[in-house]
């Protein structure tokens, strides 16, 4: 009798903890059970039905939420799971708390509870804090933290996915001197953020340049593989956005190709893409199509394999230079990922397109070629 009561109480407790499945088929609330497969990780910052309805669900394997999980619509959850697409939550942890095992444990349990409550599939850890070269004890704690998170998630459900976002290259990009090899081994895979590569510009002149020169995607990938990270543990994430820079300096006209930009310090380096403004690819397409704006035709740089153009911004009447990625420049970097036989491709972020633009199809196609 006592046992029966206990069993009943436990059942009630479980019923309260895991909310009712909102999908028509209860099995759609189970974590996706697909094993290792080519990955397409789409980062998302907004739950916009007209946009997610038009994702290429044939290739999307993981949707990483960078908006409050409360805003996730159940229709999106059920659709994703019906397509064997995982949904993971983007989450961060302050490195100055890595010494604090109580804080670590609380954080891990909170993430697991959230994932269970919303019938999701894991966590994408995005920590970009400074760990200086002489802080290798802290770096080791970070690797241990990721390993522990992965271990505890897998203990609850072996299908849960735990991934970690890393800079575009190993070493100390943006003073992130992490143990990249350890992080790759401690997680299911790492996602190299092949964008914002101009966050610290060390060249003599402070000028606008491509968000992700193809060479950097190549060198960054090599830097990870040279550490002994298997390509099957590495995803290359590419940008569906660009940077708008105000060109300063005497005599700047639409005809000038070199755009000098103001200093905007980032982590000790005066010249940085912080001087620019990020624009979605769809916004850039709109700008290029706008007849009332004075601008150059789209140019192509054979130095960095990316498109750019100048225009006169109607708000400040100054020449601006925009560097971005289109289907052609994305394709080149996807080819690099293919050449190195990486696990897959990621995009920051998959909502930066407009369903009313024909270019949108080309952008998806540039990624889909990886999976054909
Ligand atoms: C460690 O983390 C716990 C839980 O977040 C917190 O209550 C405590 O104050 C932290 N300790 C230190 C020394 O920061
Ligand atoms: C830009 O170049 C075009 C073609 O060479 C020329 O006609 C025009 O005058 C130049 N504009 C400026 C502002 O230098
Ligand atoms: C960076 O900017 C600061 C403030 O303007 C200046 O004092 C410093 O000399 C600059 N550093 C370099 C390396 O130019
Ligand atoms: C074109 O640019 C002008 C000036 O910024 C703006 O007022 C207008 O709304 C834009 N047109 C379109 C179709 O985006």
């Amino acid at each position: 009798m006592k046992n029966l009561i206990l069993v009943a109480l436990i059942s009630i407790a479980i019923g309260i903890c895991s909310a009712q499945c909102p999908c028509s088929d209860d099995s759609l609330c189970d974590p996706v059970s697909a094993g290792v497969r080519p990955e397409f990780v789409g980062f998302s910052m907004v739950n916009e039905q007209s946009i997610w309805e038009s994702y290429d669900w044939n290739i999307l394997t993981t949707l990483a939420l960078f908006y409050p999980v409360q805003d996730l619509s159940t229709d999106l959850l059920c659709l994703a799971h019906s397509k064997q697409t995982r949904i993971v939550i983007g989450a961060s942890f302050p490195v100055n708390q890595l010494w604090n095992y109580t804080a670590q444990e609380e954080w891990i349990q909170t993430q697991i509870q959230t994932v269970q409550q919303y019938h999701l599939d894991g966590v994408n850890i995005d920590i970009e804090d400074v760990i200086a070269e002489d802080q290798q004890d802290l770096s080791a704690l970070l690797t241990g933290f990721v390993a522990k998170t992965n271990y505890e998630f897998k203990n609850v459900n072996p299908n849960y996915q735990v991934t970690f976002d890393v800079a575009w290259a190993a070493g100390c990009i943006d003073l992130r001197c992490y143990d990249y090899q350890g992080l790759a081994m401690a997680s299911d895979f790492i996602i190299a953020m092949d964008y914002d590569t101009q966050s610290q510009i060390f060249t003599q002149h402070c000028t606008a340049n491509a968000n992700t020169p193809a060479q950097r995607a190549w060198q960054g990938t090599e830097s990870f593989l040279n550490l002994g990270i298997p390509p099957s543990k590495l995803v290359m994430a590419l940008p569906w956005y660009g940077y708008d820079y105000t060109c300063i300096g005497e005599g700047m006209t639409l005809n000038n190709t070199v755009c000098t930009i103001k200093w905007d310090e980032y982590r000790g380096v005066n010249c940085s893409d912080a001087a620019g403004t990020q624009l979605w690819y769809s916004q850039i397409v709109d700008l290029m199509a706008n007849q009332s704006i004075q601008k150059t035709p789209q140019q192509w740089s054979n130095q960095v394999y990316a498109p750019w153009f100048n225009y006169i911004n109607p708000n400040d009447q100054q020449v601006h230079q925009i560097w971005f990625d289109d289907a052609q420049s994305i394709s080149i970097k996807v080819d690099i990922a293919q050449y190195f036989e990486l696990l897959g491709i990621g995009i920051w972020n998959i909502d930066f397109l407009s369903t009313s633009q024909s270019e949108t199809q080309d952008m998806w196609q540039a990624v889909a070629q990886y999976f054909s």
Side-chain angles (χ1 to χ4, degrees):
M1 189 60 190
K2 240 183 188 166
N3 280 347
L4 274 182
I5 291 172
L6 196 63
V7 167
L9 283 176
I10 290 171
S11 310
I12 289 167
I14 290 172
I16 291 168
C17 287
S18 57
Q20 279 283 310
C21 178
C23 307
S24 58
D25 179 347
D26 273 1
S27 71
L28 292 179
C29 284
D30 295 338
V32 170
S33 61
V36 176
R37 54 180 171 170
E39 283 283 345
F40 176 35
V41 181
F43 293 102
S44 176
M45 288 173 77
V46 58
N47 178 13
E48 185 65 57
Q49 180 160 3
S50 64
I51 299 180
W52 55 251
E53 275 179 347
S54 62
Y55 292 165
D56 185 347
W57 289 98
N58 294 322
I59 59 172
L60 188 63
T61 51
T62 301
L63 182 65
L65 302 186
F66 279 75
Y67 56 82
V69 66
Q70 295 81 0
D71 295 348
L72 172 70
S73 72
T74 52
D75 287 346
L76 175 51
L77 166 75
C78 306
L79 173 63
H81 278 185
S82 76
K83 303 288 185 184
Q84 295 291 299
T85 305
R86 287 193 168 90
I87 300 185
V88 299
I89 46 174
S92 192
F93 183 86
V95 297
N96 63 12
Q97 283 293 302
L98 283 171
W99 304 97
N100 186 336
Y101 284 104
T102 313
Q104 282 197 25
E105 193 51 43
E106 272 180 12
W107 185 90
I108 294 171
Q109 290 311 319
T110 302
Q111 305 311 315
I112 290 177
Q113 275 161 25
T114 304
V115 163
Q116 286 182 309
Q117 186 186 343
Y118 289 91
H119 315 288
L120 306 182
D121 301 276
V123 62
N124 171 251
I125 306 174
D126 185 30
I127 293 172
E128 306 189 16
D129 294 352
V130 170
I131 295 184
E133 203 158 11
D134 61 359
Q135 290 181 300
Q136 287 314 293
D137 43 358
L138 195 53
S139 165
L141 280 171
L142 174 61
T143 307
F145 166 73
V146 173
K148 189 168 160 179
T149 305
N150 197 12
Y151 177 82
E152 295 196 18
F153 265 87
K154 296 286 197 291
N155 250 348
V156 175
N157 191 317
N159 293 317
Y160 282 155
Q161 184 193 78
V162 175
T163 55
F164 191 89
D165 302 332
V166 298
W168 61 272
C172 290
I173 302 295
D174 299 341
L175 300 181
R176 288 185 260 169
C177 308
Y178 302 174
D179 165 20
Y180 291 102
Q181 207 257 353
L183 290 167
M185 293 308 155
S187 60
D188 288 307
F189 53 87
I190 55 174
I191 304 171
M193 296 181 275
D194 279 270
Y195 38 77
D196 303 344
T197 74
Q198 310 293 349
S199 54
Q200 295 184 313
I201 302 172
F202 296 99
T203 51
Q204 193 188 347
H205 300 290
C206 190
T207 55
N209 205 340
N211 194 1
T212 312
Q215 296 91 324
R216 292 204 164 169
W218 180 287
Q219 291 157 6
T221 301
E222 267 190 327
S223 73
F224 291 115
L225 302 182
N226 287 344
L227 292 174
I229 297 172
S232 60
K233 282 273 190 177
L234 186 57
V235 163
M236 177 190 286
L238 299 169
W240 276 356
Y241 66 94
Y243 276 88
D244 178 313
Y245 294 99
T246 307
C247 307
I248 61 171
E250 293 295 302
M252 181 68 197
T253 70
L254 273 183
N255 287 0
N256 292 50
T257 54
V258 176
C259 169
T260 301
I261 61 176
K262 67 172 187 203
W263 275 356
D264 199 333
E265 185 264 351
Y266 183 68
R267 293 191 178 170
V269 177
N270 283 343
C271 183
S272 165
D273 59 17
T277 307
Q278 294 184 359
L279 290 183
W280 301 10
Y281 180 66
S282 61
Q283 294 174 311
I284 295 167
V285 169
D286 274 344
L287 226 165
M288 284 193 292
N290 191 328
Q291 298 293 336
S292 77
I293 290 175
Q294 222 189 318
K295 56 186 164 317
T296 64
Q298 183 177 321
Q299 315 284 310
W300 176 263
S301 164
N302 276 322
Q303 263 88 53
V304 290
Y305 306 98
W308 63 275
F309 65 96
N310 289 341
Y311 76 102
I312 297 187
N313 185 296
N315 298 323
D316 59 19
Q317 293 302 319
Q318 286 187 283
V319 178
H320 286 222
Q321 190 165 81
I322 293 189
W323 285 90
F324 62 108
D325 276 284
D326 62 3
Q328 189 184 356
S329 68
I330 292 284
S331 276
I332 291 170
K333 286 172 276 229
V334 167
D335 283 347
I336 295 171
Q338 213 148 26
Y339 173 81
F340 285 109
E341 299 182 342
L342 303 187
L343 179 63
I345 301 291
I347 291 292
W348 183 275
N349 99 34
I350 55 169
D351 305 312
F352 287 168
L353 305 178
S354 162
T355 45
S356 63
Q357 294 168 351
S358 59
E359 290 83 354
T360 293
Q361 214 41 46
D362 303 334
M363 291 298 259
W364 279 99
Q365 196 50 47
V367 176
Q369 70 183 18
Y370 195 82
F371 304 92
S372 56

